[in-house]
Amino acid sequence: MGMRKEIKKWFIVFLIIWVLIADLPFLFMAFTSFKTQMDLLTGAVWELPKQPTFSNYLTVFKGNFISYFKNSVIAVSLSVVLILLISSMSAYVFARAKFKFNNALYSLIIAGMAIPIHVTLIPIYLLTKRIGVYDNIFGLIGPYVALSLPMSVFILTEFMREIPVEFEEAAKIDGCSFFRIYSNIILPLSRPALITVAIYNGTYLWNEFIFALVLTSSPSKRTLPLGIWDFQGQYGSDIPAIMAFLTLSLLPMLIAYILGQDKIIKGMMAGAVKG
Amino acid sequence: MTKAKDHSISEKLGIVLFLLPTLIFIGIYIVYPIIMSFWLSFYEWDGISPKKEFVKFKNWSALFTDSVFWHSLTNNIKIIILSLLIQIPLAILIAIIIDRGGKKFDIFKSLFYLPMLMSSVAIGVLFKYVYDPQFGLISAILNLLHLENLAKDWLGDPSIALYSVIAVICWQYIPFYMIFFIAAISNIPQELYEAAKIDGATQTQYFWKIEIPLLLPSIKTACILSLIGSLKYFDLIYVMTEGGPAGATELMATYMYKNAFASFKMGYGSTIASAMFIIITTAGLIAYFATRQKEA
């Protein structure tokens, strides 16, 4: 679309100001992570580190970073695998099977999207303690899976409804069972929606804080967002070390984003574009 | 005949088996907790001792006269209003500028998107230090512009802490709504723009008479998302201020968390959680139906 020169100039000025607002904190974070405490105390914020140091990163790795990271990978990947399996099974039923309560049940599960998670927090905490999975990475998986299901079932059901019925009818004539149709026809055809669901839940759970805060307590059992919180509590005055921790924790998302920008955006927006 | 019957039996079994895991997870971790939350709101309990005292509506009447709760609800409402007024218009403006720029502006899109890659916890911790009066980025910028006298203790001063936090919320969510509106704008048929141009419409006319009306459904969706989100804030605020100083940034969720998990008042915590449930669900339903009727 064409633009008049005058307007265009102001647009560009505006965009550059916005780049500064959006990205300066990241530069501040990355620069500070290579400074020594001395640099920070004596130099201006703008000054580059006099001698870039990796010692802050060393401090982070000497702490529990690896363990936090590992726990996050385990909790998130197990949850996402379970979410994909369970929600795709239900979605297949909701999209295709004809039975009395299909629509009512589907609506009920979808209504779960509107539930504020806070109302579930205290009972889930008490339940987790009672069944003995408190302070255990597996204690997180139950709520993670359950709270992700409504949205995931919704996305997959709507997608599967668009798959032409002819594929299954042909398979049925060939004698394919209910389960075979799901695994050999529906699942492969639903790949794009499954990827969206995986990214949506993966990014959401990777950053999840409140359940991990309430359901775990020892550093060796906590996930990365809790690691940031614990580290900040422990090293509150060591700003460069904290910035190193933050920089490291951003890296996985940044790498994922660079590798699959469009897919990541689509996945993250999945929750919003339900209307 | 028998074969067809076998088929329908195995299909029925399949339906049950395929629904069961979802129903179990949702039953245990969503339905049961909601009922339990309301049930616990009628008790006084520390969550540990076997003694759970039934106190009827005591927690609820306490909630109605609890000035901290009302103050935190007011803070939530301030966040809703300011988020709507700042995030949505700015996001639309940025989205439209990027759309007008075409391919050349894709680089801006990527640069603007960065805050969305960071978790709320990381953003909270980062901005604690961005706001630091001594070493922070904000005071450095003010120094650079020779505006030192504008410097404040952004998170430590109760009269401005909430607004400092809201600024971070906007920083975090504007990229989200920006992408949301870029997607919505790309759905507007190019022909409409061509037609408007032929009819001699100016850019401003096109913006107000065509773009904004066509974006209205998306704007409504964004407003509902922002409204519901604002009622649920926890991570960012808890990490930055823990609700302080002096309750200046206390929200319903932080207040609920403190009651249940710092003071071990599980009954009262459940009452706050149940109240949040009622408030958020009602607000969501009102917003949903209000925006729906107008469309019809």
Side-chain angles (χ1 to χ4, degrees):
Chain A
M1 292 187 185
M3 278 192 280
R4 287 215 318 276
K5 276 232 159 69
E6 185 69 8
I7 310 176
K8 195 166 180 171
K9 206 174 74 196
W10 286 111
F11 279 180
I12 290 184
V13 170
F14 175 80
L15 290 177
I16 288 169
I17 292 173
W18 199 261
V19 169
L20 295 177
I21 294 174
D23 296 335
L24 265 185
F26 289 101
L27 285 182
F28 168 73
M29 174 181 86
F31 277 138
T32 310
S33 76
F34 292 107
K35 286 183 177 177
T36 61
Q37 289 254 56
M38 203 57 191
D39 284 341
L40 191 78
L41 290 170
T42 54
V45 169
W46 310 111
E47 269 173 38
L48 295 177
K50 286 188 194 78
Q51 258 193 325
T53 172
F54 282 94
S55 67
N56 301 308
Y57 287 88
L58 218 62
T59 311
V60 171
F61 278 113
K62 273 188 200 143
N64 287 312
F65 186 84
I66 306 265
S67 152
Y68 292 128
F69 189 85
K70 201 183 76 195
N71 288 338
S72 267
V73 170
I74 295 172
V76 173
S77 53
L78 277 178
S79 298
V80 169
V81 168
L82 277 172
I83 292 164
L84 288 178
L85 182 72
I86 295 173
S87 61
S88 65
M89 283 159 62
S90 295
Y92 173 47
V93 171
F94 288 130
R96 284 292 193 262
K98 290 183 180 69
F99 64 101
K100 220 177 177 177
F101 302 110
N102 187 325
N103 251 324
L105 209 54
Y106 178 62
S107 311
L108 212 67
I109 288 171
I110 299 316
M113 287 195 290
I115 302 299
I117 55 163
H118 300 93
V119 76
T120 66
L121 192 67
I122 295 169
I124 288 179
Y125 163 77
L126 296 169
L127 182 77
T128 304
K129 281 212 139 173
R130 205 165 61 213
I131 60 178
V133 283
Y134 176 76
D135 201 21
N136 182 328
I137 207 80
F138 294 101
L140 288 174
I141 291 173
Y144 279 5
V145 170
L147 297 165
S148 308
L149 281 177
M151 175 70 74
S152 309
V153 169
F154 174 75
I155 294 172
L156 289 173
T157 305
E158 298 300 309
F159 186 87
M160 288 178 189
R161 279 186 180 151
E162 303 295 316
I163 298 175
V165 196
E166 286 77 28
F167 288 113
E168 293 151 75
E169 281 168 353
K172 261 186 194 161
I173 292 167
D174 290 344
C176 274
S177 66
F178 183 83
F179 180 75
R180 281 281 298 276
I181 294 174
Y182 160 80
S183 66
N184 291 8
I185 295 174
I186 298 292
L187 273 193
L189 288 174
S190 303
R191 229 179 93 115
L194 290 168
I195 292 172
T196 302
V197 169
I199 292 173
Y200 175 73
N201 291 308
T203 50
Y204 176 76
L205 295 177
W206 184 259
N207 294 332
E208 201 285 325
F209 178 65
I210 195 166
F211 276 99
L213 174 68
V214 166
L215 301 182
T216 61
S217 56
S218 44
S220 66
K221 297 292 191 296
R222 294 196 133 174
T223 54
L224 201 51
L226 266 294
I228 297 173
W229 173 241
D230 287 346
F231 193 82
Q232 195 259 148
Q234 210 179 330
Y235 288 83
S237 56
D238 191 347
I239 301 178
I242 290 169
M243 293 303 148
F245 200 115
L246 290 175
T247 309
L248 273 177
S249 73
L250 175 67
L251 278 182
M253 276 298 286
L254 198 62
I255 292 168
Y257 180 66
I258 291 167
L259 290 179
Q261 196 168 347
D262 291 339
K263 279 201 173 104
I264 299 265
I265 290 184
K266 202 172 154 244
M268 289 177 110
M269 297 304 290
V273 197
K274 60 188 173 191
Chain B
M1 185 68 199
T2 36
K3 203 172 179 204
K5 207 177 168 189
D6 281 347
H7 208 91
S8 82
I9 287 174
S10 82
E11 190 168 313
K12 268 180 194 156
L13 191 70
I15 290 173
V16 174
L17 283 177
F18 272 39
L19 287 180
L20 213 55
T22 299
L23 297 180
I24 291 173
F25 269 98
I26 286 184
I28 295 176
Y29 289 104
I30 298 182
V31 179
Y32 163 80
I34 292 172
I35 299 166
M36 183 77 172
S37 237
F38 277 93
W39 186 70
L40 277 175
S41 74
F42 299 107
Y43 285 85
E44 219 162 69
W45 188 36
D46 62 5
I48 305 159
S49 69
K51 195 173 74 79
K52 215 187 287 180
E53 196 191 342
F54 183 70
V55 293
K56 281 190 264 184
F57 286 94
K58 194 180 148 200
N59 286 328
W60 285 93
S61 59
L63 187 79
F64 278 106
T65 53
D66 184 346
S67 61
V68 181
F69 176 75
W70 293 109
H71 177 67
S72 64
L73 177 60
T74 315
N75 283 343
N76 276 109
I77 292 170
K78 278 186 191 162
I79 293 181
I80 294 175
I81 295 168
L82 285 171
S83 293
L84 286 176
L85 289 180
I86 298 168
Q87 287 174 20
I88 311 281
L90 265 175
I92 294 175
L93 182 66
I94 298 170
I96 282 175
I97 292 176
I98 285 184
D99 176 72
R100 295 283 199 281
K103 272 253 172 286
K104 279 175 291 174
F105 281 3
D106 272 3
I107 177 73
F108 287 112
K109 209 158 65 176
S110 304
L111 286 170
F112 291 162
Y113 195 73
L114 229 56
M116 253 199 95
L117 299 179
M118 229 182 180
S119 68
S120 294
V121 180
I123 289 174
V125 171
L126 174 58
F127 273 86
K128 251 175 110 158
Y129 298 103
V130 167
Y131 277 135
D132 190 288
Q134 214 180 335
F135 309 109
L137 186 60
I138 305 279
S139 41
I141 292 171
L142 291 174
N143 281 337
L144 200 72
L145 302 173
H146 298 289
L147 295 167
E148 292 90 342
N149 47 342
L150 288 182
K152 298 224 160 55
D153 187 1
W154 302 103
L155 293 173
D157 180 345
S159 63
I160 48 172
L162 185 68
Y163 303 101
S164 308
V165 168
I166 291 174
V168 183
I169 293 175
C170 294
W171 183 85
Q172 179 182 17
Y173 284 98
I174 285 174
F176 174 84
Y177 292 112
M178 170 197 82
I179 298 282
F180 181 82
F181 285 118
I182 288 177
I185 292 171
S186 71
N187 282 334
I188 298 177
Q190 186 68 28
E191 293 81 55
L192 280 178
Y193 179 73
E194 310 286 348
K197 218 162 97 180
I198 292 169
D199 288 347
T202 63
Q203 291 266 352
T204 342
Q205 279 172 327
Y206 175 72
F207 174 74
W208 287 113
K209 299 259 165 68
I210 297 173
E211 240 168 356
I212 291 293
L214 284 173
L215 285 178
L216 221 51
S218 307
I219 295 173
K220 285 172 181 170
T221 307
C223 288
I224 296 179
L225 284 175
S226 173
L227 169 78
I228 304 292
S230 303
L231 287 168
K232 294 195 289 195
Y233 278 122
F234 177 81
D235 303 7
L236 188 83
I237 278 105
Y238 183 69
V239 167
M240 282 178 84
T241 63
E242 296 192 40
T249 59
E250 197 78 86
L251 301 181
M252 290 190 291
T254 56
Y255 191 49
M256 184 272 285
Y257 174 83
K258 282 181 190 168
N259 269 285
F261 298 101
S263 320
F264 295 101
K265 290 192 229 160
M266 290 291 165
Y268 196 55
S270 296
T271 314
I272 302 169
S274 304
M276 277 181 78
F277 175 80
I278 295 169
I279 292 168
I280 294 173
T281 317
T282 314
L285 285 175
I286 291 174
Y288 179 72
F289 284 110
T291 53
R292 230 190 174 193
Q293 271 166 358
K294 275 182 210 142
E295 266 171 60

